[in-house]
Short mmCIF file of all heavy atoms in Angstrom, two decimals:
data_model
loop_
_atom_site.label_atom_id
_atom_site.label_comp_id
_atom_site.label_asym_id
_atom_site.label_seq_id
_atom_site.Cartn_x
_atom_site.Cartn_y
_atom_site.Cartn_z
N PHE M 196 140.03 89.03 142.36
CA PHE M 196 140.03 87.58 142.11
C PHE M 196 141.15 87.28 141.12
O PHE M 196 141.16 87.81 140.01
CB PHE M 196 138.69 87.13 141.54
CG PHE M 196 137.51 87.48 142.41
CD1 PHE M 196 136.97 88.76 142.41
CD2 PHE M 196 136.93 86.51 143.22
CE1 PHE M 196 135.89 89.08 143.21
CE2 PHE M 196 135.84 86.83 144.04
CZ PHE M 196 135.32 88.11 144.02
N THR M 197 142.07 86.42 141.51
CA THR M 197 143.23 86.12 140.68
C THR M 197 143.28 84.64 140.35
O THR M 197 143.30 83.78 141.25
CB THR M 197 144.53 86.52 141.39
OG1 THR M 197 144.46 87.91 141.76
CG2 THR M 197 145.73 86.31 140.48
N GLY M 198 143.25 84.36 139.05
CA GLY M 198 143.36 82.98 138.57
C GLY M 198 144.55 82.83 137.64
O GLY M 198 145.60 83.44 137.87
N ILE M 199 144.37 82.04 136.57
CA ILE M 199 145.44 81.84 135.57
C ILE M 199 144.84 82.06 134.19
O ILE M 199 143.84 81.44 133.83
CB ILE M 199 146.03 80.42 135.67
CG1 ILE M 199 146.66 80.20 137.05
CG2 ILE M 199 147.08 80.19 134.57
CD1 ILE M 199 147.14 78.77 137.29
N GLN M 200 145.45 82.95 133.43
CA GLN M 200 144.95 83.24 132.08
C GLN M 200 145.15 82.05 131.17
O GLN M 200 146.11 81.28 131.31
CB GLN M 200 145.68 84.46 131.51
CG GLN M 200 145.19 84.90 130.15
CD GLN M 200 145.85 86.19 129.70
OE1 GLN M 200 145.98 87.12 130.48
NE2 GLN M 200 146.26 86.23 128.43
N GLY M 201 144.23 81.91 130.22
CA GLY M 201 144.35 80.80 129.27
C GLY M 201 143.40 80.96 128.09
O GLY M 201 142.62 81.92 128.02
N HIS M 202 143.44 80.01 127.17
CA HIS M 202 142.58 80.00 125.99
C HIS M 202 141.21 79.48 126.41
O HIS M 202 141.11 78.47 127.11
CB HIS M 202 143.19 79.09 124.91
CG HIS M 202 142.65 79.33 123.54
ND1 HIS M 202 141.32 79.16 123.22
CD2 HIS M 202 143.29 79.70 122.40
CE1 HIS M 202 141.15 79.43 121.94
NE2 HIS M 202 142.34 79.76 121.41
N SER M 203 140.16 80.17 125.92
CA SER M 203 138.82 79.76 126.32
C SER M 203 138.43 78.40 125.77
O SER M 203 137.50 77.75 126.27
CB SER M 203 137.80 80.81 125.88
OG SER M 203 137.83 80.98 124.47
N ALA M 204 139.15 77.92 124.72
CA ALA M 204 138.88 76.57 124.18
C ALA M 204 139.51 75.48 125.03
O ALA M 204 139.18 74.30 124.87
CB ALA M 204 139.39 76.49 122.74
N TYR M 205 140.42 75.87 125.94
CA TYR M 205 141.11 74.90 126.80
C TYR M 205 141.01 75.35 128.26
O TYR M 205 142.01 75.66 128.91
CB TYR M 205 142.57 74.76 126.38
CG TYR M 205 142.75 74.42 124.93
CD1 TYR M 205 143.00 75.42 123.99
CD2 TYR M 205 142.64 73.10 124.49
CE1 TYR M 205 143.14 75.12 122.65
CE2 TYR M 205 142.80 72.78 123.15
CZ TYR M 205 143.04 73.80 122.22
OH TYR M 205 143.18 73.50 120.90
N PRO M 206 139.78 75.39 128.78
CA PRO M 206 139.60 75.93 130.14
C PRO M 206 140.33 75.13 131.21
O PRO M 206 140.63 75.66 132.28
CB PRO M 206 138.08 75.88 130.34
CG PRO M 206 137.60 74.87 129.36
CD PRO M 206 138.50 74.96 128.18
N HIS M 207 140.62 73.85 130.93
CA HIS M 207 141.31 73.04 131.93
C HIS M 207 142.76 73.47 132.12
O HIS M 207 143.41 73.07 133.09
CB HIS M 207 141.26 71.56 131.52
CG HIS M 207 141.88 71.28 130.18
ND1 HIS M 207 141.27 71.64 129.00
CD2 HIS M 207 143.07 70.69 129.84
CE1 HIS M 207 142.04 71.28 127.98
NE2 HIS M 207 143.13 70.71 128.48
N ARG M 208 143.27 74.25 131.18
CA ARG M 208 144.63 74.75 131.30
C ARG M 208 144.71 76.13 131.95
O ARG M 208 145.79 76.70 132.07
CB ARG M 208 145.29 74.81 129.92
CG ARG M 208 145.44 73.45 129.26
CD ARG M 208 146.01 73.58 127.87
NE ARG M 208 146.15 72.27 127.23
CZ ARG M 208 146.46 72.08 125.94
NH1 ARG M 208 146.65 73.17 125.17
NH2 ARG M 208 146.58 70.88 125.44
N ALA M 209 143.56 76.65 132.31
CA ALA M 209 143.50 77.96 132.96
C ALA M 209 142.78 77.83 134.31
O ALA M 209 142.33 76.75 134.69
CB ALA M 209 142.76 78.96 132.07
N LYS M 210 142.71 78.92 135.01
CA LYS M 210 141.93 78.95 136.25
C LYS M 210 141.09 80.23 136.19
O LYS M 210 141.59 81.33 136.38
CB LYS M 210 142.82 78.94 137.48
CG LYS M 210 142.05 78.84 138.80
CD LYS M 210 143.00 78.71 139.99
CE LYS M 210 143.72 77.36 139.96
NZ LYS M 210 144.63 77.20 141.14
N ASN M 211 139.83 80.07 135.86
CA ASN M 211 138.96 81.21 135.58
C ASN M 211 138.48 81.86 136.88
O ASN M 211 137.77 81.23 137.68
CB ASN M 211 137.76 80.75 134.75
CG ASN M 211 137.00 81.90 134.12
OD1 ASN M 211 137.10 83.03 134.56
ND2 ASN M 211 136.24 81.59 133.08
N PRO M 212 138.80 83.15 137.09
CA PRO M 212 138.36 83.80 138.33
C PRO M 212 136.91 84.27 138.29
O PRO M 212 136.34 84.60 139.33
CB PRO M 212 139.31 85.00 138.44
CG PRO M 212 139.61 85.34 137.02
CD PRO M 212 139.66 84.04 136.27
N LEU M 213 136.30 84.28 137.08
CA LEU M 213 134.95 84.82 136.97
C LEU M 213 133.89 84.00 137.71
O LEU M 213 133.03 84.58 138.38
CB LEU M 213 134.57 84.97 135.49
CG LEU M 213 135.25 86.15 134.78
CD1 LEU M 213 135.13 86.01 133.28
CD2 LEU M 213 134.64 87.46 135.23
N PRO M 214 133.88 82.67 137.61
CA PRO M 214 132.88 81.92 138.39
C PRO M 214 133.02 82.14 139.90
O PRO M 214 132.02 82.19 140.62
CB PRO M 214 133.16 80.47 138.02
CG PRO M 214 133.76 80.53 136.66
CD PRO M 214 134.61 81.78 136.69
N ALA M 215 134.26 82.30 140.37
CA ALA M 215 134.46 82.58 141.80
C ALA M 215 133.86 83.93 142.16
O ALA M 215 133.21 84.08 143.21
CB ALA M 215 135.96 82.54 142.13
N MET M 216 134.07 84.93 141.30
CA MET M 216 133.48 86.23 141.56
C MET M 216 131.96 86.15 141.56
O MET M 216 131.31 86.69 142.46
CB MET M 216 133.94 87.24 140.50
CG MET M 216 133.33 88.63 140.67
SD MET M 216 134.06 89.90 139.61
CE MET M 216 133.50 89.35 137.98
N ALA M 217 131.39 85.48 140.57
CA ALA M 217 129.94 85.36 140.49
C ALA M 217 129.38 84.63 141.71
O ALA M 217 128.35 85.02 142.28
CB ALA M 217 129.54 84.64 139.21
N ARG M 218 130.07 83.57 142.14
CA ARG M 218 129.60 82.80 143.29
C ARG M 218 129.62 83.64 144.56
O ARG M 218 128.66 83.65 145.33
CB ARG M 218 130.46 81.55 143.48
CG ARG M 218 129.96 80.60 144.56
CD ARG M 218 130.83 79.37 144.71
NE ARG M 218 130.95 78.62 143.46
CZ ARG M 218 131.57 77.45 143.35
NH1 ARG M 218 132.12 76.88 144.44
NH2 ARG M 218 131.64 76.83 142.18
N LEU M 219 130.71 84.36 144.78
CA LEU M 219 130.82 85.17 145.99
C LEU M 219 129.80 86.31 145.99
O LEU M 219 129.13 86.55 147.00
CB LEU M 219 132.23 85.74 146.13
CG LEU M 219 132.47 86.62 147.36
CD1 LEU M 219 132.27 85.82 148.64
CD2 LEU M 219 133.89 87.22 147.33
N MET M 220 129.67 86.97 144.86
CA MET M 220 128.71 88.08 144.80
C MET M 220 127.28 87.58 144.99
O MET M 220 126.46 88.25 145.64
CB MET M 220 128.83 88.82 143.46
CG MET M 220 130.15 89.55 143.26
SD MET M 220 130.52 90.82 144.53
CE MET M 220 131.76 89.94 145.52
N ASP M 221 126.97 86.42 144.47
CA ASP M 221 125.62 85.86 144.65
C ASP M 221 125.37 85.51 146.12
O ASP M 221 124.30 85.81 146.67
CB ASP M 221 125.44 84.63 143.77
CG ASP M 221 124.07 83.98 143.99
OD1 ASP M 221 123.05 84.63 143.68
OD2 ASP M 221 124.03 82.84 144.49
N ARG M 222 126.34 84.90 146.75
CA ARG M 222 126.17 84.53 148.16
C ARG M 222 125.97 85.77 149.03
O ARG M 222 125.14 85.77 149.95
CB ARG M 222 127.39 83.74 148.65
CG ARG M 222 127.47 82.32 148.11
CD ARG M 222 128.58 81.54 148.78
NE ARG M 222 128.70 80.20 148.21
CZ ARG M 222 129.59 79.29 148.61
NH1 ARG M 222 130.44 79.59 149.60
NH2 ARG M 222 129.65 78.10 148.04
N MET M 223 126.71 86.80 148.72
CA MET M 223 126.61 88.01 149.54
C MET M 223 125.28 88.73 149.29
O MET M 223 124.59 89.12 150.22
CB MET M 223 127.78 88.94 149.24
CG MET M 223 129.12 88.38 149.66
SD MET M 223 130.50 89.49 149.29
CE MET M 223 130.14 90.79 150.42
N SER M 224 124.92 88.90 148.02
CA SER M 224 123.73 89.70 147.71
C SER M 224 122.43 88.97 148.02
O SER M 224 121.40 89.61 148.21
CB SER M 224 123.75 90.11 146.24
OG SER M 224 123.75 88.98 145.39
#
Side-chain angles (χ1 to χ4, degrees):
F196 303 80
T197 305
I199 299 174
Q200 183 174 317
H202 198 299
S203 60
Y205 306 96
H207 58 287
R208 296 176 180 171
K210 185 175 292 181
N211 195 339
L213 285 165
M216 178 171 68
R218 186 179 303 186
L219 180 62
M220 294 301 104
D221 177 64
R222 287 188 183 180
M223 295 180 67
S224 61

